[in-house]
Amino acid sequence: MFRTFDWTDQKIEVIIANLLRAGVLLAALLVIVGGLIFLMRHGLSPASYHVFAGEPFELRNWKGIVRSAFTLRGQGIIQLGLLVLIATPVARVAFSVFAFAIERDWLYVGIAAFVLGVLLFSLLGSAV
Amino acid sequence: MNNLEFTILVGLGSFMAGFLGALTGLGGGVVLVPLLTLVFKVDIRYAVGASLVSVIATSSGAAVAYLKDGFSNIRIGMFLEIATTVGALFGAYLAAKVSTSAIGAVFGLVLLYSGYLSSRTPVDPPPDQKPDPLATRLGMNGEYPSLAGPKSYNVHRVPLGFGLMFGAGGLSGLLGIGSGAVKVLAMEHAMGIPFKGSTTTSNFMVGVTAAASAGVYLSRGYVDPGLAMPVMLGVLAGSLAGARVLARTKTRQLRWVFGAVIAALGIEMLYGAFTGKL
């Protein structure tokens, strides 16, 4: 009984860890490509982060970010990479809901679903 | 300084932060924000946004490495994430309400505390205590491999651990750190989970916690691509390099040195906060 549970849990963890690694690699790749474009175009402009201004609206929500990335703007592609990065832990929790359901552990299906809800609330709040 | 020079210098600094963070197990975020604000004069809100993103990268990137130990307890992690994610949302909302000096002051205190923690040797709690009935109901008790075969452990004081995790999440959302140190404290001291299990489960949770507040930071315009790019790539590369070196180094002395550096940064942050320079 316990053995089966352990085995399933471990199998889930292997899948999750690889999922996370793939997500991070994809994110890093996007950030590198976007970064190169950004530096080629704006590398010699002065860097000013001392005064806080906030990002332009299009770089704050996923629709704007995707649009900006598809027009090959460096900053948009970087931001898309960051969005992919933020999505990796969310995907992990989503996968856990599914995995707990396969194990028929309904208590943990509920717990994982709640966590997923909090994450989506935070992430999709930026869709407005 | 132009963008190219800034990218290179911040990238190198972030690499060092990620490297030391992995070696000492404290994570890169805790030195990253002081580095960006004190050395590079970055506004603390931009610094926190970039740091949060790098925290996710480190946590997700290291998950495979941690897995080889097989120590993480997925149920403990998931249950406590209720507290950390809600806490993180709260922290992120708070970050918009309070002044940057207040954020700097809290950060300084957390740095001092982390410095103290890193200089102390972890102790495993006595294993024979009775489990919290709540922990048994939630299926949290587990086992971890040791030299003498698998050792089982029981989980204690779930409500206290849960409360501390809310605090850890709040600090993470306010300061853009993984607050792995507070998480380990809650699991190790309050809940009696063995040190090895605590750190692995903590890494598991750090990414999810940071993601909860990162969404809020992004939509508020605190995540700047030009800044986050060298920070995220530098910390990620540094932490991966650090994890490789980790197996071959004695970390005791290193933890001491890192602890001293962190404490010094804490004093510097407090000074900056009270003189209104942050």
Side-chain angles (χ1 to χ4, degrees):
Chain A
M1 183 74 182
F2 261 101
R3 287 249 166 256
T4 4
F5 266 97
D6 279 357
W7 183 79
T8 318
D9 266 10
Q10 275 172 16
K11 208 175 151 193
I12 291 166
E13 279 196 66
V14 171
I15 298 172
I16 286 175
N18 284 306
L19 191 81
L20 292 179
R21 185 161 63 175
V24 171
L25 285 178
L26 176 65
L29 207 69
L30 285 168
V31 171
I32 290 171
V33 171
L36 288 175
I37 295 176
F38 169 70
L39 287 178
M40 275 194 289
R41 289 187 188 158
H42 305 285
L44 300 179
S45 337
S48 57
Y49 296 103
H50 184 54
V51 181
F52 181 80
E55 293 311 301
F57 184 70
E58 66 158 4
L59 292 177
R60 293 185 191 197
N61 66 88
W62 64 268
K63 278 182 201 151
I65 290 169
V66 169
R67 212 177 299 130
S68 172
F70 274 95
T71 53
L72 297 182
R73 289 198 49 211
Q75 287 172 309
I77 298 175
I78 295 174
Q79 214 75 335
L80 184 66
L82 300 181
L83 213 54
V84 169
L85 189 69
I86 297 173
T88 52
V90 183
R92 165 165 106 61
V93 177
F95 189 82
S96 304
V97 177
F98 172 71
F100 283 128
I102 288 181
E103 288 188 39
R104 297 182 177 281
D105 189 338
W106 304 120
L107 174 65
Y108 274 89
V109 169
I111 290 173
F114 179 85
V115 174
L116 183 64
V118 175
L119 290 175
L120 289 179
F121 171 75
S122 158
L123 204 59
L124 297 183
S126 58
V128 184
Chain B
M1 207 179 338
N2 68 34
N3 277 324
L4 189 61
E5 294 160 340
F6 183 83
T7 301
I8 292 170
L9 290 177
V10 168
L12 286 175
S14 305
F15 182 88
M16 283 312 293
F19 188 76
L20 288 173
L23 279 186
T24 52
L26 286 171
V30 87
V31 280
L32 200 63
V33 174
L35 179 81
L36 290 176
T37 52
L38 299 172
V39 179
F40 291 100
K41 306 290 175 207
V42 172
D43 184 279
I44 196 163
R45 287 162 288 193
Y46 281 142
V48 168
S51 174
L52 265 180
V53 169
S54 75
V55 163
I56 302 176
T58 321
S59 159
S60 295
V64 176
Y66 273 114
L67 205 67
K68 289 187 186 107
D69 295 341
F71 293 129
S72 134
N73 186 323
I74 192 171
R75 285 188 168 72
I76 296 179
M78 193 57 74
F79 176 71
L80 294 176
E81 270 162 17
I82 294 178
T84 61
T85 50
V86 173
L89 275 187
F90 182 69
Y93 280 116
L94 207 61
K97 300 270 177 259
V98 298
S99 69
T100 52
S101 301
I103 297 174
V106 176
F107 209 118
L109 292 176
V110 170
L111 282 170
L112 285 177
Y113 177 67
S114 303
Y116 158 75
L117 264 193
S118 74
S119 57
R120 145 205 98 93
T121 342
V123 255
D124 271 355
D128 52 348
Q129 292 164 329
K130 267 196 178 163
D132 185 331
L134 194 60
T136 311
R137 259 192 76 191
L138 289 165
M140 287 175 166
N141 302 320
E143 55 183 36
Y144 65 100
S146 75
L147 288 176
K151 263 171 102 175
S152 64
Y153 61 89
N154 291 327
V155 176
H156 315 282
R157 292 185 286 187
V158 174
L160 177 64
F162 194 82
L164 283 170
M165 283 297 168
F166 181 80
L171 287 177
S172 177
L174 183 66
L175 308 177
I177 58 177
S179 56
V182 187
K183 290 193 174 82
V184 172
L185 178 86
M187 285 191 275
E188 195 188 335
H189 285 265
M191 303 175 74
I193 303 165
F195 181 69
K196 207 67 193 186
S198 303
T199 47
T200 315
T201 311
S202 167
N203 175 68
F204 219 51
M205 299 167 61
V206 159
V208 175
T209 311
S213 34
V216 178
Y217 274 81
L218 189 78
S219 62
R220 219 186 267 144
Y222 288 13
V223 179
D224 184 272
L227 176 67
M229 180 242 312
V231 168
M232 178 252 180
L233 293 176
V235 171
L236 183 63
S239 65
L240 292 179
R244 274 172 195 246
V245 178
L246 184 60
R248 299 181 256 125
T249 26
K250 282 193 172 165
T251 53
R252 232 359 242 299
Q253 292 91 333
L254 198 71
R255 281 177 74 93
W256 261 96
V257 175
F258 197 53
V261 170
I262 285 179
L265 285 174
I267 293 168
E268 193 75 34
M269 281 299 260
L270 281 173
Y271 178 77
F274 284 111
T275 50
K277 280 183 191 147
L278 283 176

